[in-house]
Amino acid sequence: MEIKEENYTVRYDESGASITCSGVLDLRGREGYAEIVELLGRAAESDPPSGKITLDMKNLEFLNSSGITTLGGFIIKLRKKGDTKLTILCSNSYSWQPRSMKGLGKLMPGNLEILFD
């Protein structure tokens, strides 16, 4: 499943249990993120053979507060499910990532790994 717009792309590869985000995600509120919430929900409900989902955000230049809330909801869904680990790949090239991702790490202690390049 792929969502491709002028400023961003979000792709979910079910066979590889990976989600890739790139570009600038500056959408407005729940309505703006509805399609992405659906994609993330699909990933959260999956049962990856490895028991692990990878979220690659290394090429995501910007994510607004509504997007961070959306990611938080995804992480909480995975935490409630209890049997899936999440790895988030980040970049130190974008100043928002170290600040925001570390806060999200508190939502799923033990099953969430955040890696920076």
Side-chain angles (χ1 to χ4, degrees):
M1 179 177 187
E2 180 177 73
I3 303 164
K4 188 172 178 109
E5 297 294 334
E6 184 178 336
N7 294 326
Y8 67 89
T9 302
V10 180
R11 182 177 22 260
Y12 171 47
D13 173 15
E14 192 168 352
S15 65
S18 65
I19 303 159
T20 306
C21 304
S22 60
V24 174
L25 274 169
D26 190 15
L27 307 173
R28 298 291 166 227
R30 281 183 167 224
E31 301 80 28
Y33 281 92
E35 197 173 12
I36 294 170
V37 167
E38 181 182 332
L39 181 146
L40 293 173
R42 206 177 203 178
E45 292 167 8
S46 71
D47 288 315
S50 66
K52 185 176 178 181
I53 295 175
T54 301
L55 174 59
D56 184 343
M57 301 183 70
K58 292 184 292 189
N59 292 311
L60 188 60
E61 298 170 37
F62 179 77
L63 183 67
N64 67 0
S65 60
S66 294
I68 297 201
T69 299
T70 298
L71 276 183
F74 170 63
I75 292 168
I76 290 169
K77 277 185 184 183
L78 288 176
R79 182 183 73 202
K80 287 179 180 178
K81 190 174 173 188
D83 60 350
T84 303
K85 294 186 179 197
L86 176 64
T87 299
I88 302 177
L89 306 176
C90 300
S91 174
N92 284 309
S93 299
Y94 304 112
S95 62
W96 70 270
Q97 288 192 11
R99 288 187 314 244
S100 300
M101 293 300 111
K102 288 179 184 171
L104 288 174
K106 297 174 184 175
L107 296 176
M108 195 170 146
N111 282 338
L112 175 59
E113 180 179 34
I114 301 172
L115 304 173
F116 287 89
D117 64 3

